[in-house]
Amino acid sequence: MTPEREKKFKEVIARRQPDLTVILENIHDPHNISAILRTCDAVGIMEVYVINTSGSLNKKLGKKSSASARKWIKVNYFNDVISCVDSLKRNGFAIYATHLAADSVNLYGLDLARPACLAFGNEHAGVSEELLGHADGNFIIPMAGMIPSLNVSVACAVSLYEAYRQRAKEKMYDVPALSDIMGRELFSRWGGEEARQDA
């Protein structure tokens, strides 16, 4: 590993946000998955949660991304909602689903500087009723046009960059959130990923 690459790894790891993540439920378009993973990497997300209740899990999701974002992010796969939700709740995450309901709040009203998981659903059906039943709240992205929705990868990007804005304002990217041990483990994993790809 070159000194420049080592420096880049350490800088990125120092800005990782272990208490920010997303759920992707039954999203099938690999281009959407790839775009979402690139955004997740860009805002410092360490891992994402993929739920697929409509068939076998495709564990190659996002691997064809032009920026290879998949290798920088851990993807956790689930074939049921409950086990995914339980995993997140045990780690202190509040789950906010993109869903229009009477109690939905504006994206910009969410406190995303606290441990938060944003849930995005299927390109056509949205977030399932089952997942909505376990969410701590619903949010909408304000829009002023004729079309009432955004592509899921765009919706995810808009939402995550609001989280980035809030966290940057609180200087959460200025102080490493990972322990030294976790940082070293991530550095080792990333180095191993690169070595395998170069072999």
Side-chain angles (χ1 to χ4, degrees), residues 15-17 20 38-45 157 160-164 167 173:
R15 295 193 294 267
R16 276 311 198 227
Q17 303 290 297
L20 178 65
R38 289 180 70 173
T39 301
C40 288
D41 173 61
V43 302
I45 286 178
L160 289 180
Y161 266 90
E162 171 58 14
Y164 182 97
R167 287 166 175 257
Y173 290 93

Side-chain angles (χ1 to χ4, degrees), residues 5-78:
R5 195 61 168 166
E6 180 178 349
K7 180 173 181 288
K8 178 67 172 179
F9 273 17
K10 290 179 177 178
E11 288 174 348
V12 171
I13 289 169
R15 295 193 294 267
R16 276 311 198 227
Q17 303 290 297
D19 61 349
L20 178 65
T21 190
V22 299
I23 290 174
L24 307 177
E25 184 189 28
N26 291 325
I27 295 177
H28 301 300
D29 187 335
H31 296 96
N32 282 334
I33 294 285
S34 291
I36 289 169
L37 291 179
R38 289 180 70 173
T39 301
C40 288
D41 173 61
V43 302
I45 286 178
M46 288 183 57
E47 53 188 306
V48 302
Y49 293 74
V50 173
I51 301 173
N52 188 325
T53 59
S54 62
S56 60
L57 290 172
N58 178 3
K59 296 193 176 183
K60 293 183 179 179
L61 288 174
K63 287 193 174 180
K64 293 185 179 179
S65 168
S66 61
S68 302
R70 171 65 180 82
K71 68 182 178 181
W72 310 124
I73 297 172
K74 180 181 178 184
V75 181
N76 303 291
Y77 297 96
F78 299 86

Side-chain angles (χ1 to χ4, degrees), residues 21-25 49 51 84-85 88 95 117-121 131:
T21 190
V22 299
I23 290 174
L24 307 177
E25 184 189 28
Y49 293 74
I51 301 173
C84 178
V85 168
L88 287 159
I95 300 173
C117 172
L118 303 181
F120 300 89
L131 182 52

Side-chain angles (χ1 to χ4, degrees), residues 123 141 143 145-152 155:
E123 290 91 340
I141 298 170
M143 287 178 280
M146 291 292 294
I147 301 172
S149 63
L150 296 169
N151 170 277
V152 65

Side-chain angles (χ1 to χ4, degrees), residues 111 113 164-175:
D111 182 357
Y164 182 97
R165 184 194 68 80
Q166 292 185 23
R167 287 166 175 257
K169 183 178 179 181
E170 297 296 325
K171 302 189 183 305
M172 294 175 69
Y173 290 93
D174 296 347
V175 179

